[in-house]
């Protein structure tokens, strides 16, 4: 019995893992283990012998079982310690730096434009980018045969072969929002509508998708003089310097009279500077809203009148921030975005100063 005790207690102490421990358990106290077999022999003993051997074997079995249990706990503690040592993590280390995104110049300029017009009492209106040709053309006094339809390089949506209805278009300008706003709000109106527009065109100064901002002011006595003041006020605030404008007689089906507006600029060393010099740069189309357009929007042209204008936001961004190629605006090149982008907390406001 002493031999058995010594053999198993030493082996248990020396076991390096749980598998070895289990093997020892089976060999010692398992059904056919050495100690279990010894216990079976008790039956063949004399009662006197049994009285001595029985309790001694039981004690030995208990001793081995508790040695196994203790060793098992010790092994799993050791395994946990080893894991804790290898999987150690220093949570006080500085984290990896993450690059913060930037605001696209178009978004920035849209915010700037909105801030300036909001200060003059203009609210922001919106409309869908996929338009019916009624809103994009007819309601704006551009009937079916009108050459302006072809000139605008319109994208048409697809209709099923036997579907006779006229296809929807990707709006070619923000002017349909004039009609939608008239229908929804009635006169008087003072809104701008910044948004995406589409034309099939692509070169250094044209992309198939670009941005315009529409302006519309309707009232009892709104005139071209008000238009001129509003635009000069806008350009001076936007460029941060007094900007002269030049109105040139022009033609749009939806305004009468119509004017294209140039802003004062200089060309020195191939770069354009707004608000100085004696060159002119065309930046927008405008005019007094045509009576037919007011009628299409459900407004009585004998009672109300007003002006409308439309200009390119991308163009304004290029001019103000010296960005040479329009196509790069929409390439999503991270190097370009980091270079020309704006800090996300740098919200343009009039009281914060638009021209830092
Ligand atoms: N819609 C015209 C364009 O896209 C611009 C414009 C708007 C002209 C409003 C006059 C009045 O070119």
């Amino acid at each position: 019995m002493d031999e058995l005790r010594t053999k198993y207690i030493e082996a248990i102490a020396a076991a390096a893992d749980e598998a070895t421990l289990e093997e020892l358990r089976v060999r010692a106290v398992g059904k056919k283990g050495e100690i279990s077999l010894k216990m079976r022999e008790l039956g063949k003993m004399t009662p006197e012998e049994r009285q001595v051997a029985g309790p001694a074997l039981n004690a030995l079995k208990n001793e081995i079982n508790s040695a196994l249990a203790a060793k098992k706990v010790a092994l799993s503690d050791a395994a946990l310690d080893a894991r804790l040592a290898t999987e150690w993590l220093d949570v006080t280390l500085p984290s990896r730096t993450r690059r913060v995104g930037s605001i696209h110049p178009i978004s920035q300029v849209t915010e700037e434009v909105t801030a300036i017009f909001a200060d003059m009492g203009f609210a922001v209106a919106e409309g869908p980018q996929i338009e019916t040709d009624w809103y994009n053309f007819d309601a704006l006094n551009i009937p079916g045969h009108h050459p302006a339809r072809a000139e605008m390089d319109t994208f048409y949506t697809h209709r099923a072969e036997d579907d006779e209805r006229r296809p929807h278009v990707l709006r070619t300008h923000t002017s349909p929002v004039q009609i939608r706003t008239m229908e929804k709000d009635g006169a008087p109106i003072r809104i701008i509508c910044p948004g995406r527009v589409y034309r099939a065109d692509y070169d250094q100064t044209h992309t198939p998708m670009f941005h315009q901002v529409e302006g519309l002011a309707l009232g009892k006595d709104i005139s071209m003089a008000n238009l001129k003041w509003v635009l000069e006020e806008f350009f001076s605030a936007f460029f941060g310097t007094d900007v002269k404008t030049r109105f040139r007689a022009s033609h749009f089906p939806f305004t009468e009279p119509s004017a294209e507006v140039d802003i004062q600029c200089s060309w020195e060393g191939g770069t354009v500077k707004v608000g100085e010099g004696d060159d002119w740069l065309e930046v927008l189309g405008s005019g007094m809203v045509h009576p037919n357009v007011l009628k299409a929007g459900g407004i009585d042209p004998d009672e109300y009148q007003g002006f409308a204008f439309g200009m390119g936001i991308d163009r304004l961004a290029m001019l103000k921030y010296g960005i040479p190629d329009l196509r790069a605006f929409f390439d999503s090149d991270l190097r370009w975005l980091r270079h020309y982008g704006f800090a996300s907390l740098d919200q343009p406001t009039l009281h914060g100063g638009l021209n830092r």
Side-chain angles (χ1 to χ4, degrees):
M1 284 247 269
D2 281 343
E3 243 170 67
L4 271 179
R5 173 185 292 111
T6 318
K7 179 167 112 184
Y8 283 111
I9 296 298
E10 278 176 5
I12 290 168
D17 53 46
E18 289 199 26
T20 313
L21 212 54
E22 175 60 10
E23 205 180 287
L24 285 169
R25 187 191 67 78
V26 174
R27 258 206 280 151
V29 295
K31 260 192 199 153
K32 288 178 185 163
E34 254 182 301
I35 290 163
S36 313
L37 292 178
K38 279 256 155 12
M39 285 179 130
R40 255 179 247 166
E41 284 168 16
L42 288 174
K44 295 176 204 150
M45 292 180 188
T46 63
E48 292 76 22
E49 284 173 326
R50 204 181 301 145
Q51 236 165 31
V52 181
L57 270 173
N58 253 328
L60 177 57
K61 188 182 171 189
N62 287 341
E63 193 182 340
I64 286 176
N65 272 333
S66 21
L68 283 165
K71 183 67 180 179
K72 196 168 175 178
V73 171
L75 279 176
S76 78
D77 282 355
L80 183 61
D81 284 345
R83 239 183 100 190
L84 286 173
T86 54
E87 292 179 12
W88 181 83
L89 189 71
D90 185 352
V91 294
T92 67
L93 282 175
S95 60
R96 242 171 252 153
T97 52
R98 280 217 237 159
R99 293 193 82 138
V100 177
S102 61
I103 302 295
H104 195 284
I106 298 294
S107 306
Q108 183 79 8
V109 166
T110 303
E111 290 297 322
E112 293 178 9
V113 169
T114 305
I116 297 168
F117 279 109
D119 192 52
M120 293 191 271
F122 286 77
V124 171
E126 286 184 305
Q129 293 174 42
I130 301 173
E131 262 303 2
T132 64
D133 76 347
W134 158 260
Y135 282 110
N136 196 78
F137 294 123
D138 299 71
L140 291 164
N141 202 29
I142 313 174
H145 58 268
H146 199 283
R149 288 192 177 216
E151 277 161 27
M152 284 219 189
D153 303 306
T154 311
F155 286 113
Y156 292 91
T157 61
H158 184 73
R159 285 260 190 237
E161 203 143 326
D162 51 357
D163 193 334
E164 296 296 309
R165 291 171 304 164
R166 287 149 89 186
H168 289 342
V169 301
L170 298 188
R171 68 178 180 196
T172 56
H173 49 184
T174 42
S175 301
V177 183
Q178 288 189 33
I179 308 295
R180 289 184 175 276
T181 310
M182 289 179 206
E183 284 179 342
K184 190 161 72 72
D185 298 343
I189 288 178
R190 217 188 300 173
I191 55 116
I192 58 163
C193 166
R196 295 181 167 192
V197 298
Y198 302 84
R199 291 181 202 178
D201 210 349
Y202 189 68
D203 60 36
Q204 198 182 340
T205 53
H206 296 91
T207 50
M209 184 282 299
F210 59 105
H211 301 80
Q212 283 189 338
V213 57
E214 191 82 6
L216 174 67
L218 297 181
K220 301 264 177 185
D221 52 10
I222 292 180
S223 70
M224 287 291 265
N226 299 130
L227 171 66
K228 184 159 169 101
W229 181 85
V230 164
L231 291 179
E232 286 193 343
E233 196 70 11
F234 166 71
F235 287 119
S236 299
F238 182 74
F239 289 106
T241 175
D242 278 348
V243 180
K244 287 202 187 73
T245 59
R246 183 174 74 173
F247 280 54
R248 273 181 297 104
S250 181
H251 177 264
F252 298 102
F254 29 90
T255 45
E256 181 58 38
S258 302
E260 279 177 319
V261 177
D262 305 335
I263 53 175
Q264 173 200 9
C265 73
S266 75
W267 287 98
E268 263 168 41
T271 53
V272 61
K273 281 224 179 89
V274 175
E276 58 181 61
D278 35 40
D279 265 328
W280 297 99
L281 197 69
E282 187 200 317
V283 283
L284 64 83
S286 66
M288 295 300 288
V289 179
H290 195 291
N292 289 350
V293 174
L294 293 171
K295 275 187 228 154
I299 288 175
D300 180 359
D302 292 327
E303 206 184 339
Y304 286 102
Q305 62 178 36
F307 64 77
F309 61 83
M311 64 185 145
I313 292 180
D314 322 65
R315 193 76 192 292
L316 289 177
M318 291 171 83
L319 281 173
K320 179 163 175 179
Y321 296 111
I323 308 173
D325 191 328
L326 178 62
R327 290 169 296 195
F329 274 76
F330 313 116
D331 282 345
S332 301
D333 184 326
L334 278 178
R335 292 164 300 180
W336 189 94
L337 291 168
R338 281 175 192 144
H339 181 77
Y340 288 112
F342 292 82
S344 54
L345 293 176
D346 188 12
Q347 298 272 354
T349 57
L350 289 179
H351 56 270
L354 289 174
N355 299 285
R356 272 159 296 164

